[in-house]
């Protein structure tokens, strides 16, 4: 399975666009229940106005809202961004910490966000379980769990630690491009021969 994914997506990586760990953190918080496309459309103007935690920490949520209005749950996300920027300045000198617990403690940043940020910004071995990863894990009989934390634990047991980051990016891409939630393109899937097709959604 890993070999098939490596053949299909040799350069798999996050589709969120970022230049710094702070930009990745912000983009990941915004991506909850939203598409990467919508986030990438909003962040250039947002980052031009607030290029770092220091700049964003001075903003009120209503200052941030116009930049992210087209993203789902934008009011709550604006509150979280203003609050997390202040905490980054107060607790971490304005820098995103290379520490799982510290990232999880930030407003709007749960386990998935921490895994995305630490793996992509700092090379931390992690599997971030979003809806695509969870769906494919169940369809491919890698996990029967619906809780993302339990799916993550199951995948970590099955795949080598050094390939965790690649795995979660490849599964996301495969979930978007081939193994869709509805009408998966099984006939065009490189894993069709060993997919049990017993997903529990």
């Amino acid at each position: 399975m890993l070999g098939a994914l490596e053949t299909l997506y040799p350069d798999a990586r996050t589709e969120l666009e970022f230049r710094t760990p702070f930009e990745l953190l912000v983009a990941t918080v915004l991506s909850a229940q939203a598409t990467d496309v919508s986030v990438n459309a909003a962040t250039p103007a947002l980052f031009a106005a607030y290029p770092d935690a220091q700049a964003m920490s001075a903003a009120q949520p209503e200052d941030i809202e116009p930049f992210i209005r087209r993203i789902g749950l934008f009011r709550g996300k604006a509150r979280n961004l203003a609050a997390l920027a202040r905490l980054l300045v107060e607790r971490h000198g304005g820098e995103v910490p290379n520490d799982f617990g510290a990232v999880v403690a930030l407003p709007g940043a749960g386990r998935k966000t921490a895994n995305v940020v630490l793996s992509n910004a700092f090379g931390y071995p992690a599997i971030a379980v979003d809806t695509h990863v969870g769906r494919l894990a169940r369809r491919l009989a890698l996990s029967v769990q619906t809780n993302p934390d339990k799916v993550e634990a199951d995948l970590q047991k099955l795949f080598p630690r050094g390939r965790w980051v690649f795995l979660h990016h490849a599964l996301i891409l495969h979930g978007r491009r081939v193994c869709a939630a509805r009408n998966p393109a099984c006939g065009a899937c490189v894993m069709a021969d060993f997919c049990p097709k017993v997903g529990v959604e």
Side-chain angles (χ1 to χ4, degrees):
M1 191 177 296
L2 188 60
L5 289 171
E6 288 172 335
T7 299
L8 196 58
Y9 309 107
D11 301 315
R13 61 178 183 82
T14 180
E15 293 189 318
L16 291 172
E17 296 172 359
F18 69 97
R19 296 166 297 183
T20 66
F22 174 72
E23 289 188 355
L24 176 60
L25 172 61
V26 169
T28 306
V29 169
L30 291 175
S31 71
Q33 298 183 53
T35 66
D36 288 356
V37 172
S38 68
V39 173
N40 289 337
T43 50
L46 177 66
F47 295 148
Y50 306 110
D52 52 34
Q54 284 85 355
M56 190 172 284
S57 68
Q60 296 301 315
E62 53 268 28
D63 299 324
I64 297 172
E65 286 180 8
F67 295 98
I68 62 172
R69 192 173 299 277
R70 294 183 180 275
I71 297 174
L73 308 174
F74 73 92
R75 288 191 178 88
K77 290 175 181 179
R79 288 193 297 271
N80 284 334
L81 292 182
L84 75 80
R86 285 193 292 273
L87 284 182
L88 287 177
V89 172
E90 293 169 5
R91 297 180 182 177
H92 307 290
E95 300 298 324
V96 176
N98 183 4
D99 180 85
F100 186 87
V103 175
V104 168
L106 296 170
R111 185 176 185 87
K112 187 193 84 168
T113 296
N115 280 336
V116 170
V117 172
L118 294 180
S119 63
N120 289 284
F122 303 111
Y124 180 89
I127 299 173
V129 179
D130 70 351
T131 55
H132 298 293
V133 174
R135 181 176 73 252
L136 267 66
R138 291 184 290 275
R139 280 185 175 169
L140 294 168
L142 302 174
S143 176
V144 296
Q145 304 294 335
T146 55
N147 180 291
D149 295 354
K150 293 180 178 180
V151 174
E152 178 187 343
D154 286 343
L155 294 176
Q156 287 177 342
K157 293 173 188 174
L158 292 170
F159 292 91
R161 184 180 178 89
R163 302 305 289 150
W164 287 355
V165 176
F166 165 81
L167 176 71
H168 91 247
H169 289 317
L171 287 176
I172 289 170
L173 291 176
H174 200 63
R176 288 173 176 167
R177 299 176 183 178
V178 179
C179 194
R182 298 179 181 179
N183 302 317
C186 299
C189 182
V190 297
M191 294 187 286
D193 289 344
F194 50 84
C195 174
K197 303 179 181 65
V198 291
V200 179
E201 309 244 348

